[in-house]
Amino acid sequence: MRFPVSSRAALPGLALLSLLLAGCANRGLTRYDAIVKQASSQDYLAAVKVLKKERAKLYGSQSALLYNMDVGLLYHYGGVYDSSIVYLRRAVDVHEELFAKSVTNEAASLLVNDNVRPYRGRSYEIVWLHLFLAFDYLALDRADDARIEMRQAEIFLNEVKRKAGGDAKAFRDDAAFRAFSALVYEALGERDDAAISIYAAVKNLRQRKQPVPPGMAAYAWRLLDAEDRPNDIRELDLQPPAVKPARFPGGGELVVIGALGRSPALGETAFWGTWVRDGVLVYYYRDANGKVVSQALPAPGLPQSEYEKGRGRNTRSGTTLHLKWAMPSLREVPSQSRLLRVAADSAGAAAGEAWGDTRELLQQDLDEGRTAMLTRTVIRVAVRTLAAEKTKAQMRTDNPIVNLLLSLGTDALADQLEQADVRLWFLLPRTLNVARIPVPAGNHTLQVAAENAEGKVVRVETLQAHVRPGKTRFVFFNSLK
Amino acid sequence: MIRVSTRIAGLLMLTLVLAGCGKKVTRVSSNSTIDLSGRWNDTDSRLVAEEMLRDCLNSSWYYTYQAQKKTPTVIVGSVKNKSHEHIDAETFTKDMERALINSGKVEFVANKGEREQLRDEKADQGRNASVETRNKAGEESGAELMLIGSINSIVDQEGSKAVVFYQINLELVQIESGRKLWIGDKKIKKYVTKNSTKF
């Protein structure tokens, strides 16, 4: 058997590349499996150790942003707020550095897959990055620094809004972030900024036709009324709350922020099949239940201009092409922790309400980015299929069995390259909840619990907090179960 | 021929790449102005402190004290950072303290944190130092005037371009009466551009 010279040179390289790529599992999926167990069992510092030890394997060189966000968030959950600030601030710096896009990385992603591009974070993730930094500062009683994070997120959101232009479906604002900003501004005594923030929070929910949590609506009415903004109250259709919150003379307020459940993850839906020119496109994919589904579609015909080229190889009807493409898809993560309950020693109990839900934000992000992602996938698959066909043609021999093996090998190699970009800050909670309790000034012992949908306690923690007269004290709790 | 030129081009490329890999450190004067990121930096802190306090010490309140043959005693209070950046307020307040002391026009007392350290030391001396060398408690100079202020910022950004505007407000307040003797501000405007692509 004799190979043409180019084929003989190409074969060892092809084999080596196949071997190398065979070891390249999708890091996004591996990372999830590696840390989710510790995170779910609230063993955050053990999870940090795993991440630090396995950084190269789990993140590679293109996910520095994600690495710092993950470690920072785990430190936050673990109550090590100063370390959390270090990592989350690094993430902010990395995000800023990633403003410039690398031409080579972008070009490579059109040949290989989107994982070769550095992870820049989803818009809502960057907002929540600043939000969690603000939470860290609040936990350390540094409200001035928390305000800086709110301002940085506002600047980022202004830019997001500008880029979104007239696209009504695009992510433009984050109600949860705005509402928490209002709490921070109010805690700092900046009621005007607080009123503007809560206005933006409610407006965002109204525009997206989402329900406004009753506590948030009452808070918005109170802030806007205090700032003499009747037009805003009317525009947002807010009603005065039935019950006025009780205040202790000379007392303060405890604000418990609970991170409950886990954000959905991203899975990979792979499609593979055969395209018969001028015939059919038969493709397969695994559905949400893991079942392989097959579909057959009439293959797109060739344009007249191609027919007119004659009987060249490029226009031959009946030619079969192997195709594979992979897309990220939302993977639900069941969460037991649904409701936040707080009992303060002297001031009674309060139930929390969810102000932010990462599922909604992720779904919106996926919907918004779908067209761009599809375009990139189509270009990538087309380029790769053409390259595979060219390679097969160059390696063709007189032996049909060798040809078959080479053809299968080339297709397998091309398949290995196709991976969906499933990178995501999946350590975020499913919901961010808030419970507010007016308390007398002094030391307080709190029982903070997460309950499931049936009202059964999933996790409970006893926390201590000192409240100064006229001040707000922020306390943090999490239950990722 | 083609192969040789390809190799030369490759070699040149490698040289260029490697030339960018090393780390080089150059010592520069602490007064030099170097802007890298466009954020608030040491130059902003130093220039603002020097310029504003020059203005402060050349205002009418100072001549009133001079006419009464009194040297005002000043303390630097808090400078609230209401900007969008984490600014090291201590660097800024230290720059102000230095400018005040070096002016020779005012007497200057230690700030709250420093006073606490001094009191600890005096308490320790009260227990352990000889009577002759012991510094007495209750003999501190009380400041008459306090310098307080805030740093604010406005950011106008569009894509790779941003205009960052800082306004620093300082006020000199008479501690006893609460009267404001001087209000000054300093504005800094920066135009920052970023590369949107790289190789």
Side-chain angles (χ1 to χ4, degrees):
Chain A
M1 164 175 66
R2 275 180 63 82
F3 291 108
V5 177
S6 58
S7 308
R8 268 184 284 165
L11 275 176
L14 203 71
L16 188 64
L17 197 58
S18 305
L19 275 172
L20 282 173
L21 290 166
C24 289
N26 194 327
R27 278 202 180 98
L29 301 172
T30 319
R31 199 165 54 84
Y32 187 84
D33 297 334
I35 54 173
V36 85
K37 200 176 157 195
Q38 277 107 336
S40 301
S41 59
Q42 315 278 137
D43 197 354
Y44 305 120
L45 301 185
V48 167
K49 272 187 193 164
V50 172
L51 294 195
K52 286 184 175 178
K53 198 174 154 197
E54 308 275 328
R55 179 179 179 173
K57 191 177 130 196
L58 299 175
Y59 295 88
S61 58
Q62 302 293 15
S63 301
L65 173 70
L66 208 45
Y67 171 76
N68 286 300
M69 291 199 300
D70 279 350
V71 176
L73 188 57
L74 288 168
Y75 273 130
H76 171 86
Y77 289 149
V80 191
Y81 300 114
D82 46 359
S83 297
S84 176
I85 289 170
V86 170
Y87 280 89
L88 295 181
R89 279 240 61 86
R90 267 186 213 161
V92 171
D93 291 341
V94 171
H95 180 254
E96 210 165 282
E97 282 163 21
L98 289 173
F99 179 82
K101 288 189 176 172
S102 156
V103 178
T104 38
N105 275 337
E106 295 300 309
S109 73
L110 286 178
L111 291 172
V112 185
N113 57 54
D114 279 351
N115 289 296
V116 299
R117 296 198 301 172
Y119 186 66
R120 290 187 163 77
R122 293 159 202 279
S123 296
Y124 77 87
E125 290 178 343
I126 302 305
V127 174
W128 283 43
L129 168 61
H130 288 290
L131 192 56
F132 272 93
L133 261 166
F135 289 168
D136 284 336
Y137 286 121
L138 290 172
L140 296 172
D141 211 10
R142 289 165 60 184
D144 279 330
D145 287 307
R147 173 192 28 221
I148 292 167
E149 293 308 324
M150 296 308 187
R151 290 215 48 204
Q152 290 189 359
E154 282 163 18
I155 293 167
F156 174 75
L157 276 170
N158 287 343
E159 186 60 9
V160 167
K161 206 180 285 181
R162 187 190 66 80
K163 277 188 196 160
D167 184 355
K169 282 185 184 168
F171 174 83
R172 294 163 165 275
D173 209 340
D174 184 337
F177 159 73
R178 295 288 182 184
F180 283 112
S181 296
L183 286 177
V184 172
Y185 286 126
E186 197 193 14
L188 285 159
E190 292 160 17
R191 297 180 68 89
D192 194 40
D193 284 331
I196 293 166
S197 293
I198 201 71
Y199 168 83
V202 179
K203 189 169 182 186
N204 177 257
L205 291 170
R206 295 274 192 239
Q207 280 175 339
R208 289 170 45 224
K209 299 191 173 28
Q210 297 285 321
V212 180
M216 191 196 284
Y219 180 44
W221 186 90
R222 188 165 61 77
L223 278 179
L224 294 170
D225 183 59
E227 289 302 294
D228 198 20
R229 290 170 170 258
N231 292 341
D232 291 345
I233 291 175
R234 214 171 301 121
E235 183 196 332
L236 299 175
D237 190 22
L238 295 169
Q239 305 302 321
V243 187
K244 254 190 157 184
R247 295 272 162 196
F248 289 88
E253 188 183 29
L254 270 168
V255 175
V256 181
I257 296 176
L260 302 189
R262 284 211 328 268
S263 148
L266 283 180
E268 182 180 82
T269 306
F271 301 82
W272 66 99
T274 308
W275 179 30
V276 185
R277 277 188 185 161
D278 304 324
V280 288
L281 169 65
V282 182
Y283 68 94
Y284 308 86
Y285 67 92
R286 243 175 247 283
D287 68 10
N289 303 317
K291 196 178 150 199
V292 175
V293 180
S294 68
Q295 299 261 320
L297 295 171
L302 287 171
Q304 191 58 34
S305 58
E306 291 297 306
Y307 281 114
E308 286 163 7
K309 281 183 183 172
R311 291 178 177 276
R313 186 165 41 83
N314 292 334
T315 61
R316 196 162 47 201
S317 290
T319 304
T320 59
L321 296 169
H322 173 80
L323 300 173
K324 186 194 172 188
W325 66 101
M327 307 279 283
S329 51
L330 192 140
R331 198 165 85 185
E332 299 288 356
V333 175
S335 293
Q336 289 181 56
S337 308
R338 293 285 177 87
L339 183 70
L340 178 72
R341 280 208 184 273
V342 184
D345 43 18
S346 53
E353 66 178 17
W355 280 7
D357 187 333
T358 47
R359 197 203 177 286
E360 283 170 21
L361 293 165
L362 177 59
Q363 188 63 63
Q364 190 185 7
D365 185 271
L366 290 175
D367 292 345
E368 185 187 343
R370 185 156 289 132
T371 311
M373 191 171 53
L374 265 171
T375 311
R376 294 174 62 77
T377 306
V378 166
I379 294 171
R380 189 169 63 233
V381 170
V383 168
R384 198 184 299 134
T385 307
L386 288 174
E389 289 306 303
K390 193 94 179 158
T391 310
K392 284 182 200 171
Q394 284 201 342
M395 291 193 302
R396 197 161 287 136
T397 68
D398 300 332
N399 188 325
I401 294 174
V402 171
N403 286 346
L404 179 66
L405 288 174
L406 283 171
S407 177
L408 288 173
T410 312
D411 289 343
L413 175 61
D415 283 2
Q416 281 288 335
L417 288 173
E418 182 61 14
Q419 286 178 359
D421 184 358
V422 295
R423 289 175 291 180
L424 178 77
W425 198 12
F426 58 71
L427 284 174
L428 283 173
R430 169 68 192 262
T431 55
L432 267 180
N433 300 260
V434 63
R436 306 176 65 177
I437 310 178
V439 287
N443 290 321
H444 296 278
T445 303
L446 304 170
Q447 287 282 324
V448 188
E451 291 179 358
N452 66 11
E454 286 80 44
K456 198 178 152 200
V457 173
V458 177
R459 183 167 184 261
V460 67
E461 197 177 350
T462 305
L463 301 166
Q464 304 291 331
H466 178 78
V467 181
R468 283 171 287 160
K471 298 286 178 190
T472 304
R473 178 75 205 177
F474 291 86
V475 177
F476 295 89
F477 168 81
N478 57 72
S479 172
L480 298 200
K481 282 181 183 170
Chain B
M1 190 64 193
I2 292 169
R3 270 190 188 170
V4 172
S5 49
T6 312
R7 277 182 194 169
I8 290 171
L11 212 66
L12 272 172
M13 185 77 96
L14 191 68
T15 316
L16 275 171
V17 169
L18 289 174
C21 290
K23 193 181 209 176
K24 195 179 165 193
V25 178
T26 314
R27 297 222 175 273
V28 292
S29 157
S30 60
N31 287 332
S32 57
T33 304
I34 301 173
D35 284 311
L36 294 175
S37 62
R39 292 186 198 143
W40 177 274
N41 60 20
D42 64 312
T43 307
D44 297 315
S45 173
R46 181 171 44 82
L47 291 181
V48 167
E50 285 172 4
E51 283 182 32
M52 291 193 78
L53 291 179
R54 197 180 307 133
D55 177 41
C56 174
L57 295 173
N58 286 320
S59 298
S60 58
W61 71 270
Y62 182 72
Y63 297 111
T64 313
Y65 269 84
Q66 234 184 359
Q68 294 168 1
K69 297 202 163 93
K70 279 168 73 180
T71 307
T73 312
V74 183
I75 187 170
V76 175
S78 71
V79 177
K80 218 171 173 57
N81 176 15
K82 295 168 94 173
S83 77
H84 68 289
E85 287 175 31
H86 293 279
I87 292 170
D88 186 354
E90 202 185 330
T91 310
F92 184 54
T93 49
K94 284 290 162 202
D95 280 338
M96 289 202 295
E97 289 178 3
R98 197 185 54 241
L100 278 172
I101 293 171
N102 291 348
S103 72
K105 290 180 168 180
V106 294
E107 279 181 0
F108 193 77
V109 293
N111 66 31
K112 204 174 174 183
E114 291 163 342
R115 285 201 307 273
E116 273 165 21
Q117 274 189 58
L118 295 172
R119 282 168 198 161
D120 284 349
E121 177 58 25
K122 275 189 267 190
D124 187 70
Q125 285 185 5
R127 289 188 297 271
N128 303 306
S130 63
V131 180
E132 305 84 61
T133 59
R134 195 179 287 168
N135 286 290
K136 292 183 225 56
E139 295 295 322
E140 292 170 16
S141 294
E144 300 166 76
L145 307 172
M146 185 182 259
L147 201 58
I148 52 173
S150 64
I151 305 173
N152 296 274
S153 68
I154 300 169
V155 181
D156 186 16
Q157 190 182 340
E158 189 172 319
S160 58
K161 296 171 196 159
V163 174
V164 186
F165 176 79
Y166 298 96
Q167 180 160 331
I168 301 92
N169 299 302
L170 286 181
E171 295 178 359
L172 190 67
V173 188
Q174 207 164 38
I175 294 172
E176 194 171 68
S177 64
R179 275 173 55 219
K180 290 186 180 178
L181 302 184
W182 169 83
I183 294 179
D185 65 41
K186 166 86 183 153
K187 298 176 176 85
I188 298 173
K189 198 170 184 176
K190 294 183 180 182
Y191 177 55
V192 186
T193 54
K194 294 188 273 188
N195 286 335
S196 53
T197 51
K198 61 182 179 184
F199 188 70

